[in-house]
Amino acid sequence: MKKSKSALAMLIAGFVVTSMGTVASGQLEPGATEPVARFDGHRVYRVTVKDAREYLAVTSLADDVWTHSPGLGDLDVQVSPGKQAALEGLGLPTRVLIADVQGAIEAERAEILKRRGQRDLAWFQNFKTLAEINTQITAWTTAYPALASSITVGNSLENRVIKGVKITGPESAEFPKASRPQILFNGCQHAREWISPMVNMYLGDQFLMQYASGGIAKDLLDRVEFVIVPVVNPDGYEYTWTTNRLWRKNRRNNGGSFGVDLNRNWGYQWGGEGASTNPSDETYRGASAFSEPETQVMRNMVLANTRLRAAIDFHSYSQLILSPWSYTSALPPDAAIFDVLNASMQSAIQGVHGQFYDAGPTYTTIYPASGSSGDWYYGAGSTARKILSWGFELRDTGANGFLLPADQIIPNGEEIMAGMIELASAIAFPAKISLPDGVPSFVGANATSTVRVSVSASPGETLNASSLKSYARMGSGSFAPTALSSLDGSLYNATLPAAGCGSSIDFYIEAMTTSGKTVRLPAGAPAAFYSTPAAELTLTLDDTCEVNNGWSLVSAGDNATTGRWELADPNATAAQPGDDHTTAGTKCFVTDGRGGAVGDYDIDGGKTTLTSPSFSGLGSGSSVSYGTIVSYWRWYSNNQGSNAGTDTMPVEISGDNGATWHALETVNENAGAWVFKSFVVNSVVAPSATMKIRFIAQDQGGGSIVEAAVDDVKVTVAACPLDPADVNGDGFVNGDDYDLFAEWFESANLLADFNHDGFVNGDDFDAFAEEFEN
């Protein structure tokens, strides 16, 4: 949420917000030393304010401001019962996010207790106490002694241990541990942000578990060391479990109030905008920079770990990726690097569950915040080396705020894991190589073929253009290099050699930087490589969607009131494409292609279904089919509106002319671009002569903006001519064929008439044996 920057900053700095609530006399939680804070009748509102007067009017009525860094625009405020009528009477755009704060807290606690009682509940299916988090870190070091080692960062104000873990692969000559770059993840500077330590723990857990399976987790751990500190503010975190669920700061006794905002206490540009001098304020900066033991020991750890190259400070909520600076609107020296990495992480996160995270410099993306950890990591903690730093605001965007349900832990962790893989890859590898369309399921036989490759240098590196090569082979011979041919920007074509039908081509990609560093895809090449079979490729459907060739635009059960499928030349909006995908075409299937405002013609009220005509997925009778490939280009958008990211678009396929359907994919990514998808459908449904595919776009409630489009649909059958010696027709010539032919021959079965002269004799056996040996 972007806010105006003006003298309003002074107003905010002077505004006092406390999150004390009321206390119930004598009511204590286990471990509590004072009555439990209650928020009976409190509500959380989202109010849109456009100037300083409106801001002051709203915040003067607020018991607490939940918005991460308050300013103009949307403001989330917690209001007690006696002030709610006054707030609603201001006449400002207002809606209730949480109607009963105390009820939500009690429901959260009841759900936690319920889940604790469930057998076989996964660790990340419930929120965890400080003791449980620390115990899990110890368990990691026991389960993964070659990968994980626990660390003690220091002690808190109340002498609780601030515990962490270092995670990296075993020692290797190629990537010595002592020279591996480090990446820091830390969380819970603000005590009430419970999703923060859980996501930190999820990242560690996934890197450890996935290491043994190889792939990107192993590639990264063999090159990088992750340092994870899940709970920087253990006193405050413990206090949220025992006494006040909505406590934010540490537990410093200020003489009449408690707490310092740890994320305003770091020593780079301490004491500026966005931090308060009032000890009762939720953003109180402390008596001096690094006045708090929690920030002191974190500072000391960073200074001692001289290999740190990146740091992420996790918070909640608002779904934001925030890079430096926080204290000023001036861009940092590495603004271009941050822009690239912000976009890379943003795209990776959105590709998992469709959740959009706004990205940019903290000051201009949300509001000023001096004395933050991110500014110190980048500005002061990196005097001898560069530490790229971010603050992340995790789920959600306000529906639950700090009281995020436990069922959001794993999906939030999954999407952040994707973003952290992008970041770690940029740190670990001097260049990034990918195959935008994936490894081809098949390539055409007896002709060269191309595979699209994306190659880009990591921040601080430059590609050596002459080094970009593909290496390919057939059989067990040596790999032969071929230069990549440039397409556009970071896109290239890798040319694969011609291969006979039924044989396979092995290949990998290599790139070097001008600094002499080499990157290969897959990372373990040449010992690891991709392999794709060659076959004769026959199109049974090739629809550019310029005319309607029998597609159905409505199905039984469709109930969308707007945004129904049509064949049209789309008009661009913030959610829908302005052009089809076909190079020489203009039309595509789109959910109402009219333009206007983003929500004018999007899908509302239910679902709308696009169904293909019947097509064949079979090859000829004289060939052996290896697979039926269905491919298409699609556009999908669901990242806008008040209920963004909650809907999906199922894509289904039928092998019996639509009588039954099987899931091909469920679309939830919001790429904001045409995306190519290709599937070998044999594992989903048996190919037949009467197949169909359908796309179900839907808005199932809330205020989401949903748009979809489909173009360039193809169906390809990959097959090879049947070998005469393959008498059992399984696609292979082996002993089973020999035994079957011998059985036919011995019984004088006319199936053994191999030369088709009407007789079964030695000539047939000789002819079969010759084909079999060849």
Side-chain angles (χ1 to χ4, degrees):
M1 296 176 284
K2 296 185 178 179
K3 285 98 178 173
S4 172
K5 315 295 187 299
S6 66
L8 180 64
M10 296 179 62
L11 176 65
I12 293 172
F15 177 67
V16 179
V17 179
T18 60
S19 181
M20 296 300 295
T22 59
V23 296
S25 177
Q27 181 180 355
L28 295 175
E29 289 287 314
T33 57
E34 60 184 275
V36 176
R38 294 186 60 85
F39 303 92
D40 295 295
H42 285 228
R43 287 181 170 181
V44 176
Y45 292 85
R46 176 162 290 170
V47 186
T48 303
V49 298
K50 64 180 182 296
D51 56 36
R53 182 189 62 81
E54 292 181 355
Y55 176 88
L56 182 60
V58 172
T59 52
S60 66
L61 295 170
D63 292 77
D64 191 5
V65 176
W66 283 31
T67 303
H68 171 67
S69 287
L72 300 186
D74 287 341
L75 194 64
D76 296 352
V77 291
Q78 179 183 330
V79 182
S80 54
K83 304 173 186 176
Q84 291 168 8
L87 179 77
E88 294 170 359
L90 291 175
L92 301 176
T94 302
R95 66 186 180 94
V96 176
L97 295 178
I98 300 176
D100 180 2
V101 173
Q102 184 61 36
I105 291 172
E106 291 174 357
E108 177 189 61
R109 179 56 59 92
E111 182 65 18
I112 289 170
L113 294 174
K114 174 185 173 183
R115 287 175 179 246
R116 283 178 180 173
Q118 294 177 8
R119 297 180 60 184
D120 302 323
L121 193 72
W123 201 85
F124 289 97
Q125 289 180 294
N126 207 0
F127 288 104
K128 302 298 180 181
T129 64
L130 179 66
E132 289 171 320
I133 289 170
N134 289 341
T135 298
Q136 184 67 8
I137 290 175
T138 301
W140 283 346
T141 64
T142 301
Y144 305 98
L147 304 177
S149 58
S150 65
I151 59 172
T152 297
V153 179
N155 288 73
S156 68
L157 183 69
E158 295 179 347
N159 207 35
R160 290 184 175 86
V161 171
I162 301 174
K163 194 168 186 175
V165 62
K166 290 184 176 181
I167 299 174
T168 193
E171 187 64 76
S172 74
E174 186 177 6
F175 305 107
K177 281 188 175 184
S179 62
R180 293 176 189 172
Q182 295 173 313
I183 300 174
L184 170 65
F185 302 144
N186 69 259
C188 206
Q189 288 205 77
H190 295 150
R192 60 190 175 186
E193 298 165 6
W194 282 10
I195 187 62
S196 166
M198 297 306 297
V199 166
N200 272 271
M201 294 295 287
Y202 186 88
L203 295 173
D205 189 71
Q206 289 300 300
F207 278 116
L208 289 169
M209 287 203 310
Q210 293 181 27
Y211 183 85
S213 301
I216 189 62
K218 183 178 188 303
D219 293 340
L220 290 174
L221 286 186
D222 285 343
R223 294 165 172 82
V224 171
E225 182 173 64
F226 293 100
V227 182
I228 304 176
V229 184
V231 184
V232 173
N233 181 8
D235 300 343
Y237 188 61
E238 184 75 8
Y239 194 72
T240 62
W241 282 84
T242 62
T243 308
N244 185 341
R245 172 63 182 86
L246 298 179
W247 189 259
R248 170 185 168 97
K249 300 183 286 184
N250 76 348
R251 292 297 297 156
R252 167 71 66 186
N253 187 339
N254 299 317
S257 68
F258 279 85
V260 170
D261 183 344
L262 296 181
N263 205 34
R264 302 294 187 276
N265 190 240
W266 294 72
Y268 190 77
Q269 300 295 329
W270 175 85
E273 288 185 85
S276 176
T277 60
N278 190 320
S280 296
D281 193 273
E282 291 284 34
T283 62
Y284 175 50
R285 67 194 188 188
S288 62
F290 292 118
S291 61
E292 305 311 296
E294 295 89 351
T295 55
Q296 292 170 19
V297 297
M298 285 294 293
R299 172 198 61 193
N300 296 342
M301 183 200 69
V302 170
L303 294 175
N305 285 272
T306 57
R307 293 180 282 116
L308 273 171
R309 294 294 179 269
I312 309 284
D313 179 23
F314 287 103
H315 292 264
S316 72
Y317 58 94
S318 287
Q319 297 181 192
L320 300 168
I321 301 170
L322 303 172
S323 50
W325 297 108
S326 300
Y327 81 94
T328 177
S329 61
L331 293 177
D334 298 297
I337 292 176
F338 282 115
D339 286 346
V340 170
L341 292 175
N342 286 354
S344 175
M345 291 188 287
Q346 182 185 56
S347 176
I349 290 169
Q350 193 170 357
V352 178
H353 295 297
Q355 294 296 308
F356 178 74
Y357 282 59
D358 198 7
T362 304
Y363 191 104
T364 53
T365 303
I366 49 172
Y367 207 72
S370 60
S372 70
S373 60
D375 278 5
W376 184 86
Y377 289 150
Y378 180 66
S382 55
T383 53
R385 65 263 156 86
K386 181 180 294 183
I387 300 177
L388 301 173
S389 66
W390 287 266
F392 265 61
E393 294 291 330
L394 300 169
R395 289 193 182 189
D396 54 12
T397 56
N400 299 284
F402 304 120
L403 305 176
L404 194 70
D407 62 12
Q408 296 293 295
I409 296 170
I410 292 176
N412 203 171
E414 289 171 339
E415 64 201 12
I416 297 301
M417 181 70 177
M420 295 307 96
I421 286 174
E422 284 293 311
L423 172 61
S425 297
I427 301 296
F429 300 108
K432 179 182 177 181
I433 309 175
S434 64
L435 305 180
D437 305 326
V439 178
S441 303
F442 299 92
V443 295
N446 304 312
T448 60
S449 55
T450 58
V451 178
R452 283 204 311 159
V453 181
S454 174
V455 187
S456 57
S458 294
E461 297 283 355
T462 303
L463 287 175
N464 178 349
S466 64
S467 73
L468 309 183
K469 294 180 174 68
S470 62
Y471 287 78
R473 71 178 183 187
M474 289 173 288
S476 57
S478 299
F479 285 95
T482 303
L484 300 185
S485 56
S486 180
L487 294 175
D488 180 35
S490 63
L491 289 178
Y492 300 82
N493 263 341
T495 301
L496 303 183
C501 204
S503 60
S504 290
I505 304 169
D506 302 331
F507 71 97
Y508 66 91
I509 312 297
E510 180 180 273
M512 295 180 64
T513 64
T514 53
S515 63
K517 299 173 183 176
T518 301
V519 179
R520 297 184 180 96
L521 184 73
F529 49 83
Y530 297 121
S531 188
T532 187
E536 293 183 355
L537 304 179
T538 303
L539 281 169
T540 62
L541 178 66
D542 186 5
D543 197 335
T544 59
C545 303
E546 292 302 311
V547 297
N548 190 335
N549 293 308
W551 290 76
S552 170
L553 305 179
V554 63
S555 294
D558 281 1
N559 56 351
T561 55
T562 61
R564 292 181 289 270
W565 286 106
E566 65 173 351
L567 182 67
D569 181 357
N571 293 288
T573 71
Q576 134 179 319
D579 292 294
D580 74 332
H581 174 264
T582 312
T583 302
T586 59
K587 294 182 179 181
C588 61
F589 288 104
V590 60
T591 51
D592 197 328
R594 287 178 287 180
V598 67
D600 285 352
Y601 303 110
D602 74 308
I603 303 167
D604 283 320
K607 67 176 184 174
T608 176
T609 305
L610 172 69
T611 307
S612 76
S614 181
F615 59 84
S616 175
L618 300 178
S620 69
S622 61
S623 65
V624 178
S625 177
Y626 293 114
T628 298
I629 307 106
V630 173
S631 66
Y632 47 84
W633 289 83
R634 59 162 166 78
W635 180 291
Y636 184 72
S637 177
N638 185 26
N639 63 350
Q640 300 179 64
S642 60
N643 200 34
T646 57
D647 291 304
T648 60
M649 180 172 72
V651 182
E652 299 176 340
I653 192 164
S654 172
D656 53 12
N657 210 34
T660 58
W661 293 93
H662 309 270
L664 196 57
E665 67 162 332
T666 299
V667 184
N668 59 13
E669 65 177 326
N670 291 275
W674 285 101
V675 175
F676 176 73
K677 301 299 291 187
S678 177
F679 301 92
V680 179
V681 301
N682 298 58
S683 62
V684 178
V685 62
S688 73
T690 54
M691 304 185 75
K692 288 186 175 183
I693 185 173
R694 69 181 182 185
F695 302 82
I696 306 171
Q698 54 193 351
D699 177 8
Q700 298 292 13
S704 56
I705 303 295
V706 182
E707 295 279 15
V710 173
D711 204 2
D712 294 329
V713 182
K714 294 184 179 182
V715 178
T716 307
V717 177
C720 286
L722 189 64
D723 191 308
D726 180 19
V727 294
N728 65 3
D730 65 357
F732 303 95
V733 176
N734 53 32
D736 293 339
D737 298 292
Y738 189 94
D739 292 342
L740 180 59
F741 185 82
E743 180 183 333
W744 290 344
F745 185 83
E746 290 171 2
S747 63
N749 191 320
L750 281 175
L751 291 173
D753 181 15
F754 202 78
N755 61 8
H756 306 294
D757 65 356
F759 303 95
V760 176
N761 53 35
D763 293 340
D764 297 294
F765 201 96
D766 291 342
F768 171 77
E770 182 177 351
E771 289 288 349
F772 184 86
E773 291 170 1
N774 290 334

